[in-house]
Amino acid sequence: MLATPTLAEEILELKQQRRATILAHHYQDAEIQEVADQIGDSLELARVAQKFTGDVIVFCGVKFMAETAKVLNPERIVTLPDLHAGCSLVDSCPAEGVRAFKRKHPDHVVVSYINTSVEVKAESDILCTSRNAVKIVNSIPAEKPILFLPDINLGNYVKKQSGRENMQIWQGACIVHATFPARRLSAARAEHPNALVAAHPECPQDVLRMADFIGSTSAIIEWCREQSADEFIVMTESGVRYSLERDSPGKKFYFVANENCNCSECPYMKMNTLEKVRDCLDTLQPRIELPRELMDRARLPIERMLAVK
Ligand code: 13P
Ligand code: SF4
């Protein structure tokens, strides 16, 4: 009797039939990262999605990431295992609010974090991610006033790094990173005195002040690999443990719980499951569908970002 294929085997078979690729953000469950063709941060996955020449992209991340993939490569079918996988930063910044700001401040350059809706991207001058935000802001002529949106913590970090005074910052926040309490990080440092601290720039200022390194998810993974230290406290979503342990065998990684769930998980990212990945390869649903004119307007600021070296 033939053995029943495992879910992972079914996924690999369907992936071939569909000429599909599976892209997974670092915050996905380990079992999803195991079947992925590419694991990365938001910038790396956008670049991979743009170049993909097969038929189907299964984007294992949240909706704004899958939308970005669709905008950059509109001829492909882009599926998201769970269409409800949103992001609190996207919710904090409605397009109408951005349009109202632009009407009042037509001179401002709108720099939008990739964690925004496609409608907000279409209102933006240039995009950025946590990996390149400082570089993007530094690429804008010094005399031009900037609106940075929507993350207040990333915005404050970029303002400090760039020394940019003429920069207004939207008041949005990530429900995971913005609720990492500094007191829990202090307690973790007391418990692990030899550990270095790596933090995502969406964390609050008092957490960032205690960090030895600040960077995107992939930058954190690279930095931990390069250090001679053996222990790290990692102030981001705990899904990064998969790549941290793969790239830095033998090193120890500690995570700090946030106030919302007493864990360090993004509830949106965790909506995707291996079953849903299999189902969307099978049915090619749920799919990202966007009006062409909206995609054309949103593509320009994304391409501007990708062109900044
Ligand atoms: P990265 O740009 O590091 O992938 O982060 C995306 C994100 O959603 C952080 O919460
Ligand atoms: Fe959005 Fe925060 Fe989840 Fe990242 S971790 S997807 S910023 S809610």
Side-chain angles (χ1 to χ4, degrees), residues 25 27 62 64-65 86-90 113 115 151 173-177 202 237 265-269:
H25 189 268
Y27 297 165
V62 289
F64 76 80
M65 296 179 177
C87 170
S88 64
L89 281 170
V90 174
Y113 192 25
N115 298 40
D151 189 65
C174 160
I175 51 165
V176 182
H177 295 84
E202 289 173 14
E237 215 270 3
E265 294 191 345
C266 171
Y268 301 110
M269 287 279 181

Side-chain angles (χ1 to χ4, degrees), residues 24-30 32-33 39-42 45 60-62 64-65 113 115 130 174 176-177 180 199-202 215-218 220-221 234-243 255 264-272:
H25 189 268
H26 290 297
Y27 297 165
Q28 293 295 283
D29 279 335
I32 294 181
Q33 298 194 45
I39 305 165
D41 66 12
S42 54
L45 294 179
C60 300
V62 289
F64 76 80
M65 296 179 177
Y113 192 25
N115 298 40
S130 57
C174 160
V176 182
H177 295 84
F180 282 137
H200 196 281
E202 289 173 14
S216 75
T217 48
S218 287
I220 288 174
I221 293 160
V234 182
M235 302 303 289
T236 190
E237 215 270 3
S238 53
V240 297
R241 183 185 284 286
Y242 178 84
S243 296
F255 290 83
S264 37
E265 294 191 345
C266 171
Y268 301 110
M269 287 279 181
K270 294 326 195 220
M271 285 180 180
N272 296 327

Side-chain angles (χ1 to χ4, degrees), residues 130-150:
S130 57
R131 196 172 178 113
N132 61 15
V134 176
K135 204 191 271 183
I136 295 294
V137 164
N138 283 337
S139 75
I140 296 164
E143 69 282 5
K144 295 245 185 204
I146 290 175
L147 168 66
F148 186 94
L149 61 84

